[in-house]
Structure formats: C-alpha cells, structure tokens
Amino acid sequence: MYDDTCRFLAEHFSADFASWLLEEPVTLTELKPSELSLDPIRADAMILLQSEESILHIEFQTLPKENIPFRMLDYRVRGHRRYKEKTMRQVVIYLKQTTSELAYQTSYVLKRTRHEFDVIRLWEQPASLFLQYPGLLPFAALGTECKFSGNVASSHSNCGSD
C-alpha cells in the first residue's frame, strides 16, 4: 500500500519533493532504475528523479533494514558511473515509527570506504511542513500531531508546535 502511494506522489508531485528535500523548486523528471544498471536493486519504494544538474534518490521504507546503507552506496556508485557530471542527493524516508537504531543510520562504512546519505523519520517532522505542499499532504498524518480546529487551513499554524 505504501509503495504505490509514495511512488505516485513522488512521480506526480516531484516539484513538491524537490522543494522539501532540495530546499529549492526544481523541475525533476523520473529516472528509471534500469538506466543505472541492468540489474536494479529491489526496494520498498525507490524513486530516482533528475534535473539538468542533479539526481534525487528517495527510498521510502516502512521499517528499517540492515541492507539499506549498502543499497544507498550501490545506487550512488551506479549514478556516478552513468551521470558523472550530476550531483546526487540521497534520502531514506522512514514512514512508520520505530525505535530501531537502523532508522538513525546515515552512512555505510567498509574499511576505507565511507558513504553518507540523509535520513528523515516522518514521525519527527512537523505536520505543518507537509501542509505547505499538495503532494506531501498525505505525509501530514505521519508527522507530529496537529490540533485541528475545524478546517485544515486554520489548523495549519497549530501543527507541530507542541
């Protein structure tokens, strides 16, 4: 259920995701995982979006998995191999609240190799953040609580302030 919904939102509201994750309005188009390799890695919901200058790699996860850091490194290397001139921003977005330490892991380390990526835990984000963008509205229910006073517009200022 989460996979298809997150994929739909990221593909159809890519400008909202860019504004949120890149902190600037950028027009992004979908990049198929197969463009990076003949053998795509299976993920809960992985989205690759690109602009002229960069690639935005988003992995939506319901629960943490031990192989996610390695997967992030693998896709970064694949992206660099195919698009050397483009920067890549990688973000793992955890949807369901968990106390697992894996949800706080932001790097992959192997002897003399270190790769870093960003992690967002939706339950720690203020719901008001998601109310700013139509494509992110469904995530408001997963963010910190809101006190709704009748309608979404008037409640916007009451979200995430506790």
Side-chain angles (χ1 to χ4, degrees):
M1 175 176 125
Y2 286 107
D3 299 0
D4 292 337
T5 301
C6 291
R7 187 179 326 284
F8 175 86
L9 291 171
E11 290 173 359
H12 290 86
F13 296 94
S14 62
D16 291 346
F17 278 84
S19 294
W20 173 37
L21 298 172
L22 301 176
E23 298 179 350
E24 61 179 309
V26 177
T27 301
L28 299 169
T29 58
E30 185 180 6
L31 175 66
K32 299 289 185 193
S34 60
E35 292 183 51
L36 299 183
S37 170
L38 297 175
D39 183 27
I41 297 172
R42 302 291 171 228
D44 280 6
M46 184 203 55
I47 306 297
L48 292 167
L49 302 169
Q50 68 176 329
S51 68
E52 290 291 324
E53 299 84 29
S54 65
I55 296 172
L56 175 58
H57 171 200
I58 307 169
E59 290 239 7
F60 294 98
Q61 293 291 323
T62 51
L63 298 171
K65 296 176 185 158
E66 287 187 23
N67 68 338
I68 291 172
F70 176 76
R71 234 172 30 207
M72 300 305 279
L73 169 65
D74 193 18
Y75 266 102
R76 178 62 187 111
V77 172
R78 293 175 189 210
H80 182 71
R81 182 179 296 124
R82 176 76 168 85
Y83 301 100
K84 288 180 175 51
E85 72 287 352
K86 293 187 179 189
T87 60
M88 182 184 275
R89 170 88 189 270
Q90 295 182 285
V91 183
V92 178
I93 300 174
Y94 288 106
L95 303 169
K96 288 186 174 181
Q97 188 167 357
T98 179
T99 57
S100 172
E101 290 186 23
L102 294 174
Y104 295 83
Q105 191 171 356
T106 60
S107 65
Y108 176 78
V109 179
L110 176 67
K111 298 194 185 206
R112 296 179 59 163
T113 300
R114 179 176 180 82
H115 176 68
E116 296 183 357
F117 51 91
D118 294 316
V119 169
I120 295 175
R121 294 168 293 277
L122 288 185
W123 63 91
E124 295 177 354
Q125 303 301 307
S128 60
L129 173 70
F130 305 118
L131 297 177
Q132 298 175 45
Y133 307 101
L136 303 180
L137 284 175
F139 295 132
L142 302 174
T144 56
E145 292 184 28
C146 294
K147 295 178 186 174
F148 289 106
S149 59
N151 69 43
V152 174
S154 65
S155 297
H156 172 66
S157 61
N158 296 327
C159 292
S161 58
D162 290 342

